């Protein structure tokens, strides 16, 4: 399959939107301003009054009807699972893994994995997600890296490590195999594609990882500064009971006891934590990836996100995998992140600005790339999204505050019209420039039939 030609590849461009939602420290919203992009970075944000666009010596991108926002950041994704969308509904976590996801992931060929990753990337890019933290899979991880690099997305990714598996014993490898393949992959791909791709070490969860694997993986990270440690934690009550039986502790307590918690650790879910564990996350600056759709669909529960935010624990958002969601749109995650807390706490928690920040700058902070992305500010990379909010099903905008409401409560990926990463358009005019959708679907079907 061939990638479609990128439409515009110019070094210097001026992007003129209707308004700019900066997500800077003052949460400024700018009107009548343009963003100048030079070599993929935001060179300046300039008032239209101070600019003669007709004399501009670069490319002028006129998006005067659209709202410019930072690209979304998702901190927990499984691209390898996209092909299994709709094949694992209505199951709780351990059954879902045992009966469906482990056998499916284990059956992946290089070609089916490629098809899965492309479908996932298409879903993410067309929904305005420009950075992801991906969990990867046990075998053929190099295919995922190839596709991340080809697509142009900004990503942290890594081989999903598993050296034991009581749920589905065929799907694991030895400790040494896991450590060696991970080290080799990190050597090859950490800081690849102009540093857009970095390594995210990914021991899957306590139930699939020996203590040796977890500890040595953490140790290995020292050779790869800027990488992160990504795992699942405290998602489901049966999982937690099993972890307790195995280790005598709950997930976060166990992780702390073996020394793997710090500011580079990202824990997906954290639905059920005891008070001591919440304190431990805070004192160790651990990051929580909140996955509300997945937590609801697998019946896992509702994480106490307002409490984590109050305790100043880092929280960001992720769609998790397609078979537990069943889409990868951040708009669903933002809307649910807000709504599910209101009946439990009160309707004032998880206001729209807070939620929008979780999907942008807080994701960047979780990954320690907030100096590069997550907001629209001079010097940052031009990872940008243009939304059409001038629709009959959107708020009639009288004030700036309504923009957050519009994005969090009234929008979906249908509102995404253009997406840029490092100053390169990957979507324009509402169409993905990187993939041919029909071809992706055809290839997906061809490969899926062979493996399920
Ligand atoms: N725990 C271990 N593996 C997985 C997975 O693939 N998805 C989710 N949601 N939880 C997990
Ligand atoms: Fe997950």
């Amino acid at each position: 399959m061939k990638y479609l030609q990128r439409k515009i590849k110019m070094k210097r461009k001026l992007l003129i939107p209707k308004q700019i939602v900066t997500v800077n420290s003052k949460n400024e919203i700018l009107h009548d301003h343009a963003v100048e992009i030079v070599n993929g970075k935001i060179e300046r944000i300039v008032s239209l009054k101070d600019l003669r666009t007709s004399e501009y010596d670069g490319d002028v991108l006129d998006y005067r009807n659209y709202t410019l926002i930072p690209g979304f950041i998702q901190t927990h994704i499984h691209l390898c699972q996209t092909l299994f969308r709709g094949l694992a509904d209505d199951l709780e976590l351990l059954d879902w893994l045992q009966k469906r996801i482990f056998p499916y992931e284990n059956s992946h060929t290089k070609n089916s994995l490629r098809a899965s990753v492309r479908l996932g990337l298409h879903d993410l890019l067309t929904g305005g997600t420009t950075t992801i933290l991906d969990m990867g899979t046990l075998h053929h991880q190099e295919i995922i890296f190839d596709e991340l690099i080809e697509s142009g997305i900004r990503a942290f990714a890594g081989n999903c490590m598993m050296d034991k598996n009581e749920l589905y014993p065929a799907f694991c490898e030895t400790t040494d195999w896991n450590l060696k393949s991970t080290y080799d992959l990190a050597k090859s791909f950490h800081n690849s594609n102009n540093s857009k791709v970095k390594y995210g070490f990914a021991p899957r969860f306590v139930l699939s990882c020996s203590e040796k694997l977890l500890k040595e993986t953490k140790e290995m990270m020292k050779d790869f500064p800027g990488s992160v440690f990504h795992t699942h934690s405290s998602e489901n009550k049966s999982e937690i009971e099993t972890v307790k039986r195995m280790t005598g502790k709950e997930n976060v307590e166990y992780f702390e006891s073996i020394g793997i918690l710090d500011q580079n650790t990202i824990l997906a879910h954290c639905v059920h934590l005891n008070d001591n564990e919440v304190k431990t996350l805070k004192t160790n600056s651990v990051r929580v990836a909140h996955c509300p759709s997945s937590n609801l669909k697998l019946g896992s529960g509702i994480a106490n996100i307002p409490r984590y935010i109050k305790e100043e624990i880092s929280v960001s958002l992720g769609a998790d995998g397609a078979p537990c969601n069943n889409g990868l749109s951040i708009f669903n995650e933002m809307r649910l992140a807000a709504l599910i807390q209101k009946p439990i706490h009160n309707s004032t928690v998880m206001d729209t600005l807070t939620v929008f920040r979780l999907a942008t700058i807080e994701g960047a902070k979780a990954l320690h790339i907030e100096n590069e992305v997550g907001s629209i500010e001079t010097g940052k990379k031009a990872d940008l999204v243009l939304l059409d909010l001038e629709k009959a099903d959107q708020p009639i905008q009288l004030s700036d505050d309504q923009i957050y409401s519009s994005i969090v409560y009234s929008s979906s990926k249908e509102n995404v019209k253009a997406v840029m990463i490092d100053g390169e358009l990957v979507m324009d005019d509402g169409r993905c420039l990187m993939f041919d959708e029909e071809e992706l679907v055809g290839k997906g079907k061809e490969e899926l039939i062979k493996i399920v």
Side-chain angles (χ1 to χ4, degrees):
M1 189 197 303
K2 280 217 181 80
Y3 284 89
L4 300 179
Q5 275 292 322
R6 283 173 206 192
K7 218 169 145 190
I8 297 169
K9 210 165 190 175
M10 222 166 266
K11 290 231 147 45
R12 191 178 171 83
K13 43 192 97 146
L14 190 70
L15 199 157
I16 309 174
K18 174 175 185 256
Q19 53 202 0
I20 305 173
V21 184
T22 65
V23 200
N24 64 15
S25 59
K26 294 188 211 148
N27 295 310
E28 279 175 300
I29 291 179
L30 305 174
H31 302 269
D32 304 316
H33 278 69
V35 174
E36 187 180 27
I37 299 160
V38 179
N39 290 331
K41 279 192 176 168
I42 298 170
E43 175 82 5
R44 59 185 179 136
I45 301 169
V46 57
S47 166
L48 290 181
K49 278 192 257 128
D50 303 331
L51 202 71
R52 287 220 186 95
T53 51
S54 56
E55 288 171 16
Y56 186 69
D57 64 351
D59 204 33
V60 177
L61 306 178
D62 190 343
Y63 292 114
R64 270 173 238 243
N65 292 327
Y66 298 159
T67 298
L68 187 69
I69 63 169
F72 290 113
I73 297 172
Q74 298 207 42
T75 55
H76 185 60
I77 292 287
H78 297 257
L79 289 170
C80 71
Q81 295 176 3
T82 322
L83 202 56
F84 314 127
R85 197 191 309 253
L87 288 176
D89 294 337
D90 312 319
L91 292 166
E92 69 92 40
L93 177 70
L94 298 182
D95 284 342
W96 180 82
L97 289 171
Q98 182 173 43
K99 295 185 176 146
R100 306 289 164 85
I101 299 307
F102 286 161
Y104 287 155
E105 276 192 40
N106 195 39
S107 70
H108 257 318
T109 61
K110 288 185 179 185
N111 286 340
S112 66
L113 182 58
R114 197 181 292 285
S116 183
V117 171
R118 287 181 176 183
L119 284 164
L121 288 169
H122 179 268
D123 195 352
L124 289 161
L125 293 173
T126 54
T129 292
T130 53
T131 299
I132 57 167
L133 170 58
D134 185 69
M135 173 65 69
T137 187
L138 187 61
H139 301 121
H140 317 308
Q141 176 67 30
E142 68 287 354
I143 300 287
I144 301 184
F145 280 112
D146 274 1
E147 291 301 318
L148 292 171
I149 290 168
E150 276 295 317
S151 74
I153 200 165
R154 196 176 302 286
F156 288 69
N159 200 21
C160 183
M161 304 166 88
M162 305 173 72
D163 68 347
K164 61 180 185 176
N165 191 346
E166 282 180 18
L167 293 169
Y168 192 75
F171 191 43
C172 72
E173 295 285 355
T174 63
T175 312
D176 286 351
W177 185 94
N178 274 275
L179 290 168
K180 179 165 179 2
S181 59
T182 293
Y183 196 85
D184 291 347
L185 284 161
K187 262 200 122 69
S188 298
F189 293 105
H190 185 51
N191 287 326
S192 59
N193 203 21
N194 206 15
S195 280
K196 266 198 291 187
V197 169
K198 296 186 192 292
Y199 210 81
F201 291 87
R204 191 167 196 137
F205 66 155
V206 176
L207 300 187
S208 75
C209 297
S210 66
E211 195 165 309
K212 179 172 191 266
L213 183 64
L214 290 165
K215 280 179 166 167
E216 292 198 11
T217 301
K218 191 72 193 172
E219 194 58 28
M220 193 189 293
M221 278 180 71
K222 292 183 184 150
D223 288 351
F224 303 98
S227 63
V228 297
F229 187 100
H230 175 204
T231 189
H232 293 95
S233 180
S234 322
E235 181 173 359
N236 163 289
K237 288 197 172 144
S238 313
E239 168 231 340
I240 292 167
E241 280 315 307
T242 317
V243 169
K244 250 193 202 159
R245 247 181 281 127
M246 272 172 48
T247 69
K249 299 186 174 70
E250 301 200 15
N251 284 270
V252 172
E253 293 170 333
Y254 171 65
F255 287 143
E256 189 190 29
S257 75
I258 62 169
I260 61 162
L261 296 183
D262 61 27
Q263 72 280 2
N264 299 315
T265 312
I266 298 178
L267 301 183
H269 304 292
C270 295
V271 175
H272 306 284
L273 299 183
N274 63 41
D275 287 348
N276 180 45
E277 289 183 303
V278 176
K279 220 189 277 166
T280 301
L281 292 189
K282 184 175 164 64
T283 49
N284 290 282
S285 304
V286 173
R287 278 70 173 127
V288 173
H290 178 41
C291 308
S293 296
S294 165
N295 295 342
L296 293 176
K297 183 155 184 280
L298 296 173
S300 302
I302 296 176
N304 194 344
I305 299 301
R307 176 173 179 197
Y308 304 164
I309 292 175
K310 205 164 161 202
E311 302 266 4
E312 296 182 347
I313 294 166
S314 160
V315 175
S316 47
L317 298 179
D320 208 344
C324 61
N325 190 311
N326 288 0
L328 302 181
S329 166
I330 190 89
F331 292 97
N332 294 331
E333 303 316 305
M334 288 192 291
R335 182 177 161 80
L336 282 179
L339 296 186
I340 59 178
Q341 303 297 342
K342 299 192 183 266
I344 300 171
H345 298 268
N346 61 62
S347 54
T348 62
V349 299
M350 303 300 282
D351 61 86
T352 55
L353 171 59
T354 298
V355 172
F356 185 62
R357 287 180 66 90
L358 297 191
T360 51
I361 191 69
E362 291 302 320
K365 287 184 194 166
L367 298 165
H368 302 279
I369 52 172
E370 72 272 22
N371 290 332
E372 292 182 38
V373 293
S375 63
I376 302 177
E377 295 178 84
T378 303
K380 286 206 175 182
K381 311 258 187 190
D383 286 11
L384 303 169
V385 171
L386 287 137
L387 300 177
D388 183 3
L389 303 178
E390 305 298 304
K391 311 284 275 185
D393 58 5
Q394 290 287 329
I396 307 291
Q397 197 189 315
L398 298 178
S399 77
D400 284 350
D401 285 349
Q402 283 172 292
I403 300 172
Y404 300 114
S405 171
S406 181
I407 297 168
V408 170
Y409 287 135
S410 299
S411 295
S412 69
K413 58 187 291 191
E414 276 178 44
N415 300 82
V416 176
K417 293 299 164 193
V419 179
M420 192 179 260
I421 302 173
D422 256 357
E424 295 285 334
L425 282 164
V426 293
M427 182 185 188
D428 200 15
D429 299 328
R431 280 177 47 80
C432 186
L433 305 179
M434 313 306 296
F435 300 106
D436 178 311
E437 187 171 358
E438 236 176 83
E439 226 175 308
L440 289 186
V441 174
K443 189 73 183 159
K445 187 162 186 186
E446 187 185 318
E447 296 302 331
L448 183 61
I449 286 169
K450 291 184 206 161
I451 63 166
V452 294

